[in-house]
Amino acid sequence: MTKIMSLRGRDFTSTIDEMKLLMEPRSVALVGMTRRTGKGAFNTLENLLAIGFQGKIYPVNPEATNILGLKAYPDCASLPAGIDLAIIATPRQVVPTVIRDCIRRGTKAAVITSAGFAEADDTGKKLQSEVLSIAKRGGMRIVGPNSLGIVNNFSNFTSAFVPSPTDKIPIALVCQSGGFLNGFAGFTSGKSIDLGNTSDVDFPDVLQYLGHDPDIKLIALQIESVTDGARFADIASKVSKRMPILALKIARSEEGARAAASHTGSITGKAEVYQAAFKQAGIIPVRDVDEMGDLARAFINVPPLKGNRIGIITHTGAGGIMALDALSQNGFEPARLSPRTVDNLKHLFPVWSPPTNPVDMLAAAITHGYGKVYRESLTALLEDDNVDAILCICGIPTLKAIQQVADGKAKPVITWITGEWDETLLPKVKETGHKAIYPTPERAIRALAALREYNCLATNEAG
Amino acid sequence: MTKIMSLRGRDFTSTIDEMKLLMEPRSVALVGMTRRTGKGAFNTLENLLAIGFQGKIYPVNPEATNILGLKAYPDCASLPAGIDLAIIATPRQVVPTVIRDCIRRGTKAAVITSAGFAEADDTGKKLQSEVLSIAKRGGMRIVGPNSLGIVNNFSNFTSAFVPSPTDKIPIALVCQSGGFLNGFAGFTSGKSIDLGNTSDVDFPDVLQYLGHDPDIKLIALQIESVTDGARFADIASKVSKRMPILALKIARSEEGARAAASHTGSITGKAEVYQAAFKQAGIIPVRDVDEMGDLARAFINVPPLKGNRIGIITHTGAGGIMALDALSQNGFEPARLSPRTVDNLKHLFPVWSPPTNPVDMLAAAITHGYGKVYRESLTALLEDDNVDAILCICGIPTLKAIQQVADGKAKPVITWITGEWDETLLPKVKETGHKAIYPTPERAIRALAALREYNCLATNEAG
């Protein structure tokens, strides 16, 4: 294979190969596997069998000969040679020995889920250094320690001891907390990695791998700290040209930074430094998990935004006003409907209230029905060259019609579904199949602004 | 009755009596009632029967003798004398005659749902003036026109032609758009009024009534424009001492303000003027419908906040860090746990990771189970005098335990439920009965800040 680039003593291709051992292993050793099963057992093997992993599994437990129907090995020295990945959940003091034994058996990658290392005390800090130097000498890559590791729904693989959603969503998540891996980011990802204490495998390694991943359309980062800022910016700026990268920087406050030190042993820098690095690297920063989910939903579900003129269709006058406020706040223009659009739609509207933008369709709906008016209005705006994207404001009954009209079209159509987003509303939304949905106009329009931001970056690059 | 205060030629008591005719009528005439029924019929009568209205109903329709089993009257002149309220849905040009006839039959209150008035064209503007002057001469109060009117779940009453939630929630909503009335504010209200074009009944009238309403604990306002700013501030500052008032000012942008003129005929002022008026009147401003719902949920479901020191219990280290960031952003302090609390909890935690704030309970939960650790931690923090409120960070399985421990306690306990708030998560949340729930730490802590803000206002007043 050709070497693509050289960074920190490793070439691009070999990093990708190393990452494949971690992300898409064909054989795994589960070291320090619990024999408890069922609810609250935190049993990785059970989790791995449940999601249908197709590779070979080697449980290691000195007190068992068989776990969940699989032969168990007493120690790592007894394992077959050449296993792709070791997932290590032993007490912390045993980890150096385990790593050494695995390296001897030819294993080149490990996820250490055990905690009590650099995030804990001096003993833990020393242990982490020891583990790292053994691994480096042996040519082994380490994820963690203090990490849930990897969930890769495209390979039916997980190293985590807690279950997570199994959808093959084209979003990859790189984080420094198992809490994120396990879906708390407000959206589901199809492939994710928790770097934990980030002693070895770091954001740039994962970005190199994801930049060439055909399964992935968007990368989301949750960052406490990045160690090698220059390498991170260099690789991220290449990857961000291929797909959008969103980043949520946490530990922004003094208190948060102190807590990060005892969470992953991170030393966090100033928030402004990160913001500048994100900008330089073409990364879109987000404020919170709501915004992370909102932007991801837009990037994954709607086509690129090609201009600044937004059409609005609404069943409520106030909703239209709130949407206009949100456009103004995000530097968008309300589209001026073309004479043809006005002409096509005016037969639906009262004489004293002809169609304009926002298209306030309540009066028309009372006469002609919501479905018909929404369908015709959305079709007309999609065909109008003066309109670059459309915000629909509606309730559940109209959502199916919106999805049918918008599906496959080249313009972004996003929807603010009015009403309380509660346990009765969301199942009905799901049924319609419409996915570019938002609970407020501000959040919907912010998502459109992110599409524009990414598109501008791409365009500037091309020009 | 004693006259309490005199404002704009009306005394306080009589305004409340007038508002009662509108909000809690015992008899209603439905003028211009459609004969269509079922889905998409926009039939107020059907809606009114469905929610179980106990008063008398008089449909008026020149082409029917009977609608949905009720005797129909050909015109308002034929109606019995002294009906409390007329709900008017006729074409706009007929409205002046209808109002005149209703006044002659002794009706003193009307909701005009018909549109096409000041929000539409010059004809509409003239019609609205005409209606208003007839009403003023006849001593009739008008809600609207261009309004859905009133939904009062405590009286099983609605004037709206679209259904809305029927829960008797102690939140009142005063808005200028039917879209809000119909629940799109992100929360459900038990009593609400859409002022529409606000030709007569205005925010101060409704605030006078709600300030004395035993069913209501919180008032939410959606404002396009307020006509008499001084009267509004005067009355709101009195009512805000009795219960919190939240306000969402819309039409903040130039485009939004232009659209407001054609939505309700409003002339909106500068956003800063409103913010200053809100502050003076003790009103808590909100940015969007998410925040409106978030703050309402805190005020209704948790006890008052008495200090600034927040305890955090979390199943994810990153979650704790994000919560600390949010505390810092809102001027809160992380609580220092008392030695007694640390002592009570340390048996659950690994030696290398003793309990501190945030209480990061993952390691403890792996050994002792989530339920036990969460229950003991929350109990200890509730009993700790160094802790003024607690943010719980958890997933669904722990939520029931939190609710059981927090229920009836004198300290605020609010919860960030991690994970995607989707159609599978929310029904499970509902089952637990825990209501002070938030999808991000930022939104949870912002809600606590609003509690503090209101409490300070109340304390300053007392002092």
Side-chain angles (χ1 to χ4, degrees), chain B residues 282-318:
Chain B
I283 292 174
I284 299 171
V286 298
R287 282 186 307 260
D288 53 32
V289 289
D290 268 354
E291 193 170 283
M292 183 83 114
D294 287 348
L295 270 46
R297 213 154 51 249
F299 278 112
I300 294 304
N301 293 301
V302 309
L305 177 61
K306 292 183 180 150
N308 213 31
R309 300 158 309 165
I310 313 298
I312 300 166
I313 307 176
T314 178
H315 67 148
T316 146

mmCIF file of all heavy atoms in Angstrom, chain B residues 282-318:
data_model
loop_
_atom_site.group_PDB
_atom_site.id
_atom_site.type_symbol
_atom_site.label_atom_id
_atom_site.label_comp_id
_atom_site.label_asym_id
_atom_site.label_seq_id
_atom_site.Cartn_x
_atom_site.Cartn_y
_atom_site.Cartn_z
ATOM 1 N N GLY B 282 -41.552 42.619 37.320
ATOM 2 C CA GLY B 282 -41.281 41.321 37.950
ATOM 3 C C GLY B 282 -41.617 40.138 37.062
ATOM 4 O O GLY B 282 -41.841 39.031 37.537
ATOM 5 N N ILE B 283 -41.666 40.376 35.752
ATOM 6 C CA ILE B 283 -41.959 39.303 34.786
ATOM 7 C C ILE B 283 -40.652 38.665 34.344
ATOM 8 O O ILE B 283 -39.665 39.353 34.118
ATOM 9 C CB ILE B 283 -42.697 39.904 33.559
ATOM 10 C CG1 ILE B 283 -44.092 40.368 33.968
ATOM 11 C CG2 ILE B 283 -42.758 38.901 32.417
ATOM 12 C CD1 ILE B 283 -44.838 41.100 32.870
ATOM 13 N N ILE B 284 -40.637 37.341 34.230
ATOM 14 C CA ILE B 284 -39.439 36.628 33.785
ATOM 15 C C ILE B 284 -39.511 36.420 32.272
ATOM 16 O O ILE B 284 -40.394 35.707 31.782
ATOM 17 C CB ILE B 284 -39.314 35.269 34.511
ATOM 18 C CG1 ILE B 284 -39.190 35.513 36.022
ATOM 19 C CG2 ILE B 284 -38.126 34.468 33.981
ATOM 20 C CD1 ILE B 284 -39.288 34.254 36.863
ATOM 21 N N PRO B 285 -38.614 37.077 31.506
ATOM 22 C CA PRO B 285 -38.663 36.907 30.051
ATOM 23 C C PRO B 285 -38.063 35.560 29.621
ATOM 24 O O PRO B 285 -37.129 35.076 30.261
ATOM 25 C CB PRO B 285 -37.782 38.051 29.530
ATOM 26 C CG PRO B 285 -36.886 38.412 30.662
ATOM 27 C CD PRO B 285 -37.532 37.959 31.940
ATOM 28 N N VAL B 286 -38.605 34.966 28.574
ATOM 29 C CA VAL B 286 -38.032 33.730 28.025
ATOM 30 C C VAL B 286 -37.707 33.955 26.548
ATOM 31 O O VAL B 286 -38.323 34.790 25.898
ATOM 32 C CB VAL B 286 -38.969 32.508 28.189
ATOM 33 C CG1 VAL B 286 -39.228 32.213 29.661
ATOM 34 C CG2 VAL B 286 -40.271 32.705 27.424
ATOM 35 N N ARG B 287 -36.732 33.191 26.057
ATOM 36 C CA ARG B 287 -36.246 33.382 24.685
ATOM 37 C C ARG B 287 -37.087 32.668 23.648
ATOM 38 O O ARG B 287 -37.207 33.081 22.519
ATOM 39 C CB ARG B 287 -34.820 32.826 24.558
ATOM 40 C CG ARG B 287 -33.720 33.658 25.103
ATOM 41 C CD ARG B 287 -32.373 33.014 24.746
ATOM 42 N NE ARG B 287 -32.341 31.622 25.177
ATOM 43 C CZ ARG B 287 -31.757 31.181 26.283
ATOM 44 N NH1 ARG B 287 -31.136 32.016 27.083
ATOM 45 N NH2 ARG B 287 -31.770 29.908 26.612
ATOM 46 N N ASP B 288 -37.612 31.478 24.025
ATOM 47 C CA ASP B 288 -38.310 30.667 23.034
ATOM 48 C C ASP B 288 -39.277 29.715 23.733
ATOM 49 O O ASP B 288 -39.351 29.699 24.971
ATOM 50 C CB ASP B 288 -37.310 29.893 22.156
ATOM 51 C CG ASP B 288 -36.328 29.075 22.982
ATOM 52 O OD1 ASP B 288 -36.715 28.596 24.076
ATOM 53 O OD2 ASP B 288 -35.184 28.905 22.542
ATOM 54 N N VAL B 289 -39.994 28.919 22.950
ATOM 55 C CA VAL B 289 -41.001 28.047 23.562
ATOM 56 C C VAL B 289 -40.382 26.921 24.381
ATOM 57 O O VAL B 289 -40.971 26.461 25.351
ATOM 58 C CB VAL B 289 -42.008 27.477 22.528
ATOM 59 C CG1 VAL B 289 -42.919 28.592 22.040
ATOM 60 C CG2 VAL B 289 -41.340 26.773 21.376
ATOM 61 N N ASP B 290 -39.186 26.469 24.009
ATOM 62 C CA ASP B 290 -38.479 25.487 24.844
ATOM 63 C C ASP B 290 -38.308 26.028 26.262
ATOM 64 O O ASP B 290 -38.621 25.356 27.243
ATOM 65 C CB ASP B 290 -37.060 25.238 24.285
ATOM 66 C CG ASP B 290 -36.997 24.072 23.304
ATOM 67 O OD1 ASP B 290 -38.021 23.376 23.140
ATOM 68 O OD2 ASP B 290 -35.930 23.873 22.702
ATOM 69 N N GLU B 291 -37.784 27.249 26.348
ATOM 70 C CA GLU B 291 -37.505 27.835 27.658
ATOM 71 C C GLU B 291 -38.798 28.091 28.421
ATOM 72 O O GLU B 291 -38.853 27.903 29.643
ATOM 73 C CB GLU B 291 -36.712 29.134 27.474
ATOM 74 C CG GLU B 291 -36.107 29.634 28.773
ATOM 75 C CD GLU B 291 -35.113 30.773 28.562
ATOM 76 O OE1 GLU B 291 -33.984 30.502 28.146
ATOM 77 O OE2 GLU B 291 -35.475 31.932 28.808
ATOM 78 N N MET B 292 -39.841 28.496 27.701
ATOM 79 C CA MET B 292 -41.148 28.709 28.341
ATOM 80 C C MET B 292 -41.602 27.417 29.015
ATOM 81 O O MET B 292 -41.973 27.410 30.192
ATOM 82 C CB MET B 292 -42.153 29.137 27.258
ATOM 83 C CG MET B 292 -43.527 29.478 27.744
ATOM 84 S SD MET B 292 -43.608 31.186 28.337
ATOM 85 C CE MET B 292 -44.718 31.926 27.150
ATOM 86 N N GLY B 293 -41.548 26.321 28.292
ATOM 87 C CA GLY B 293 -41.963 25.033 28.849
ATOM 88 C C GLY B 293 -41.046 24.591 29.987
ATOM 89 O O GLY B 293 -41.506 24.107 31.019
ATOM 90 N N ASP B 294 -39.748 24.774 29.803
ATOM 91 C CA ASP B 294 -38.770 24.358 30.817
ATOM 92 C C ASP B 294 -39.009 25.069 32.153
ATOM 93 O O ASP B 294 -38.987 24.442 33.215
ATOM 94 C CB ASP B 294 -37.346 24.715 30.356
ATOM 95 C CG ASP B 294 -36.840 23.813 29.238
ATOM 96 O OD1 ASP B 294 -37.491 22.782 28.967
ATOM 97 O OD2 ASP B 294 -35.796 24.140 28.647
ATOM 98 N N LEU B 295 -39.214 26.385 32.088
ATOM 99 C CA LEU B 295 -39.377 27.153 33.312
ATOM 100 C C LEU B 295 -40.728 26.834 33.965
ATOM 101 O O LEU B 295 -40.810 26.668 35.186
ATOM 102 C CB LEU B 295 -39.264 28.658 33.019
ATOM 103 C CG LEU B 295 -37.858 29.240 33.122
ATOM 104 C CD1 LEU B 295 -36.803 28.411 32.432
ATOM 105 C CD2 LEU B 295 -37.824 30.679 32.633
ATOM 106 N N ALA B 296 -41.750 26.732 33.134
ATOM 107 C CA ALA B 296 -43.079 26.402 33.678
ATOM 108 C C ALA B 296 -43.022 25.071 34.422
ATOM 109 O O ALA B 296 -43.553 24.939 35.530
ATOM 110 C CB ALA B 296 -44.102 26.349 32.543
ATOM 111 N N ARG B 297 -42.343 24.095 33.852
ATOM 112 C CA ARG B 297 -42.250 22.767 34.464
ATOM 113 C C ARG B 297 -41.575 22.830 35.833
ATOM 114 O O ARG B 297 -41.970 22.131 36.757
ATOM 115 C CB ARG B 297 -41.467 21.844 33.529
ATOM 116 C CG ARG B 297 -41.904 20.412 33.572
ATOM 117 C CD ARG B 297 -41.609 19.673 32.278
ATOM 118 N NE ARG B 297 -40.259 19.796 31.820
ATOM 119 C CZ ARG B 297 -39.878 20.458 30.736
ATOM 120 N NH1 ARG B 297 -40.769 21.038 29.955
ATOM 121 N NH2 ARG B 297 -38.630 20.513 30.382
ATOM 122 N N ALA B 298 -40.557 23.674 35.962
ATOM 123 C CA ALA B 298 -39.886 23.809 37.252
ATOM 124 C C ALA B 298 -40.806 24.483 38.267
ATOM 125 O O ALA B 298 -40.979 23.995 39.383
ATOM 126 C CB ALA B 298 -38.595 24.608 37.093
ATOM 127 N N PHE B 299 -41.421 25.591 37.883
ATOM 128 C CA PHE B 299 -42.255 26.331 38.837
ATOM 129 C C PHE B 299 -43.424 25.488 39.338
ATOM 130 O O PHE B 299 -43.824 25.584 40.493
ATOM 131 C CB PHE B 299 -42.783 27.623 38.200
ATOM 132 C CG PHE B 299 -41.794 28.754 38.246
ATOM 133 C CD1 PHE B 299 -41.205 29.235 37.086
ATOM 134 C CD2 PHE B 299 -41.449 29.337 39.459
ATOM 135 C CE1 PHE B 299 -40.290 30.272 37.128
ATOM 136 C CE2 PHE B 299 -40.537 30.389 39.513
ATOM 137 C CZ PHE B 299 -39.957 30.852 38.342
ATOM 138 N N ILE B 300 -43.975 24.663 38.475
ATOM 139 C CA ILE B 300 -45.166 23.905 38.846
ATOM 140 C C ILE B 300 -44.809 22.658 39.643
ATOM 141 O O ILE B 300 -45.580 22.204 40.472
ATOM 142 C CB ILE B 300 -45.937 23.512 37.563
ATOM 143 C CG1 ILE B 300 -46.488 24.756 36.873
ATOM 144 C CG2 ILE B 300 -47.076 22.540 37.845
ATOM 145 C CD1 ILE B 300 -47.367 25.615 37.738
ATOM 146 N N ASN B 301 -43.625 22.106 39.417
ATOM 147 C CA ASN B 301 -43.344 20.780 39.980
ATOM 148 C C ASN B 301 -42.327 20.726 41.114
ATOM 149 O O ASN B 301 -42.167 19.673 41.722
ATOM 150 C CB ASN B 301 -42.890 19.837 38.858
ATOM 151 C CG ASN B 301 -44.003 19.555 37.867
ATOM 152 O OD1 ASN B 301 -45.050 19.039 38.247
ATOM 153 N ND2 ASN B 301 -43.813 19.925 36.617
ATOM 154 N N VAL B 302 -41.625 21.813 41.387
ATOM 155 C CA VAL B 302 -40.643 21.720 42.472
ATOM 156 C C VAL B 302 -40.835 22.848 43.489
ATOM 157 O O VAL B 302 -41.371 23.902 43.152
ATOM 158 C CB VAL B 302 -39.179 21.697 41.950
ATOM 159 C CG1 VAL B 302 -38.983 20.642 40.876
ATOM 160 C CG2 VAL B 302 -38.749 23.057 41.460
ATOM 161 N N PRO B 303 -40.393 22.619 44.745
ATOM 162 C CA PRO B 303 -40.514 23.650 45.782
ATOM 163 C C PRO B 303 -39.564 24.814 45.514
ATOM 164 O O PRO B 303 -38.662 24.696 44.682
ATOM 165 C CB PRO B 303 -40.120 22.904 47.065
ATOM 166 C CG PRO B 303 -39.332 21.731 46.621
ATOM 167 C CD PRO B 303 -39.813 21.375 45.253
ATOM 168 N N PRO B 304 -39.730 25.941 46.227
ATOM 169 C CA PRO B 304 -38.873 27.118 45.996
ATOM 170 C C PRO B 304 -37.401 26.811 46.271
ATOM 171 O O PRO B 304 -37.084 25.986 47.122
ATOM 172 C CB PRO B 304 -39.387 28.139 47.015
ATOM 173 C CG PRO B 304 -40.762 27.695 47.378
ATOM 174 C CD PRO B 304 -40.767 26.213 47.248
ATOM 175 N N LEU B 305 -36.537 27.505 45.556
ATOM 176 C CA LEU B 305 -35.089 27.358 45.736
ATOM 177 C C LEU B 305 -34.639 28.382 46.768
ATOM 178 O O LEU B 305 -34.915 29.568 46.637
ATOM 179 C CB LEU B 305 -34.392 27.610 44.394
ATOM 180 C CG LEU B 305 -32.863 27.578 44.401
ATOM 181 C CD1 LEU B 305 -32.346 26.213 44.841
ATOM 182 C CD2 LEU B 305 -32.322 27.931 43.028
ATOM 183 N N LYS B 306 -33.928 27.927 47.816
ATOM 184 C CA LYS B 306 -33.592 28.845 48.909
ATOM 185 C C LYS B 306 -32.124 29.234 48.966
ATOM 186 O O LYS B 306 -31.704 29.950 49.873
ATOM 187 C CB LYS B 306 -34.056 28.233 50.227
ATOM 188 C CG LYS B 306 -35.583 28.199 50.283
ATOM 189 C CD LYS B 306 -36.114 27.672 51.592
ATOM 190 C CE LYS B 306 -37.644 27.687 51.560
ATOM 191 N NZ LYS B 306 -38.227 26.624 52.375
ATOM 192 N N GLY B 307 -31.310 28.745 48.042
ATOM 193 C CA GLY B 307 -29.894 29.119 48.069
ATOM 194 C C GLY B 307 -29.235 28.797 46.750
ATOM 195 O O GLY B 307 -29.903 28.383 45.795
ATOM 196 N N ASN B 308 -27.926 28.958 46.717
ATOM 197 C CA ASN B 308 -27.198 28.976 45.455
ATOM 198 C C ASN B 308 -26.312 27.746 45.244
ATOM 199 O O ASN B 308 -25.610 27.647 44.254
ATOM 200 C CB ASN B 308 -26.331 30.243 45.440
ATOM 201 C CG ASN B 308 -26.180 30.792 44.054
ATOM 202 O OD1 ASN B 308 -27.087 30.639 43.229
ATOM 203 N ND2 ASN B 308 -25.037 31.382 43.778
ATOM 204 N N ARG B 309 -26.344 26.793 46.207
ATOM 205 C CA ARG B 309 -25.369 25.693 46.198
ATOM 206 C C ARG B 309 -26.025 24.409 45.681
ATOM 207 O O ARG B 309 -26.919 23.853 46.311
ATOM 208 C CB ARG B 309 -24.841 25.500 47.616
ATOM 209 C CG ARG B 309 -24.158 26.755 48.169
ATOM 210 C CD ARG B 309 -24.126 26.737 49.686
ATOM 211 N NE ARG B 309 -25.448 26.477 50.258
ATOM 212 C CZ ARG B 309 -25.667 26.135 51.522
ATOM 213 N NH1 ARG B 309 -24.634 26.009 52.351
ATOM 214 N NH2 ARG B 309 -26.888 25.933 51.962
ATOM 215 N N ILE B 310 -25.548 23.954 44.534
ATOM 216 C CA ILE B 310 -26.223 22.860 43.833
ATOM 217 C C ILE B 310 -25.431 21.561 43.952
ATOM 218 O O ILE B 310 -24.230 21.539 43.693
ATOM 219 C CB ILE B 310 -26.414 23.205 42.339
ATOM 220 C CG1 ILE B 310 -26.983 24.621 42.162
ATOM 221 C CG2 ILE B 310 -27.298 22.167 41.650
ATOM 222 C CD1 ILE B 310 -28.349 24.853 42.755
ATOM 223 N N GLY B 311 -26.094 20.499 44.332
ATOM 224 C CA GLY B 311 -25.508 19.160 44.325
ATOM 225 C C GLY B 311 -25.832 18.463 43.010
ATOM 226 O O GLY B 311 -26.879 18.705 42.406
ATOM 227 N N ILE B 312 -24.910 17.630 42.552
ATOM 228 C CA ILE B 312 -25.110 16.908 41.285
ATOM 229 C C ILE B 312 -24.865 15.425 41.539
ATOM 230 O O ILE B 312 -23.872 15.060 42.167
ATOM 231 C CB ILE B 312 -24.103 17.410 40.212
ATOM 232 C CG1 ILE B 312 -24.298 18.916 39.950
ATOM 233 C CG2 ILE B 312 -24.237 16.609 38.923
ATOM 234 C CD1 ILE B 312 -23.149 19.553 39.174
ATOM 235 N N ILE B 313 -25.771 14.585 41.079
ATOM 236 C CA ILE B 313 -25.540 13.137 41.119
ATOM 237 C C ILE B 313 -25.580 12.664 39.677
ATOM 238 O O ILE B 313 -26.526 12.977 38.949
ATOM 239 C CB ILE B 313 -26.629 12.408 41.928
ATOM 240 C CG1 ILE B 313 -26.783 13.040 43.314
ATOM 241 C CG2 ILE B 313 -26.288 10.913 42.066
ATOM 242 C CD1 ILE B 313 -27.920 12.440 44.135
ATOM 243 N N THR B 314 -24.559 11.922 39.251
ATOM 244 C CA THR B 314 -24.485 11.604 37.829
ATOM 245 C C THR B 314 -24.006 10.180 37.567
ATOM 246 O O THR B 314 -23.220 9.647 38.343
ATOM 247 C CB THR B 314 -23.556 12.609 37.084
ATOM 248 O OG1 THR B 314 -23.478 12.241 35.712
ATOM 249 C CG2 THR B 314 -22.143 12.609 37.675
ATOM 250 N N HIS B 315 -24.484 9.578 36.514
ATOM 251 C CA HIS B 315 -23.999 8.264 36.102
ATOM 252 C C HIS B 315 -22.933 8.387 35.013
ATOM 253 O O HIS B 315 -22.479 7.399 34.475
ATOM 254 C CB HIS B 315 -25.146 7.353 35.653
ATOM 255 C CG HIS B 315 -25.820 7.806 34.383
ATOM 256 N ND1 HIS B 315 -26.368 6.942 33.475
ATOM 257 C CD2 HIS B 315 -26.023 9.038 33.876
ATOM 258 C CE1 HIS B 315 -26.896 7.622 32.476
ATOM 259 N NE2 HIS B 315 -26.701 8.890 32.696
ATOM 260 N N THR B 316 -22.567 9.627 34.679
ATOM 261 C CA THR B 316 -21.555 9.847 33.653
ATOM 262 C C THR B 316 -20.669 11.018 34.028
ATOM 263 O O THR B 316 -21.164 12.111 34.357
ATOM 264 C CB THR B 316 -22.190 10.096 32.269
ATOM 265 O OG1 THR B 316 -21.369 11.041 31.549
ATOM 266 C CG2 THR B 316 -23.571 10.668 32.359
ATOM 267 N N GLY B 317 -19.373 10.798 33.975
ATOM 268 C CA GLY B 317 -18.421 11.840 34.336
ATOM 269 C C GLY B 317 -18.576 13.069 33.461
ATOM 270 O O GLY B 317 -18.609 14.198 33.952
ATOM 271 N N ALA B 318 -18.709 12.875 32.154
ATOM 272 C CA ALA B 318 -18.863 14.001 31.233
ATOM 273 C C ALA B 318 -20.121 14.789 31.574
ATOM 274 O O ALA B 318 -20.131 16.016 31.508
ATOM 275 C CB ALA B 318 -18.931 13.511 29.798
#
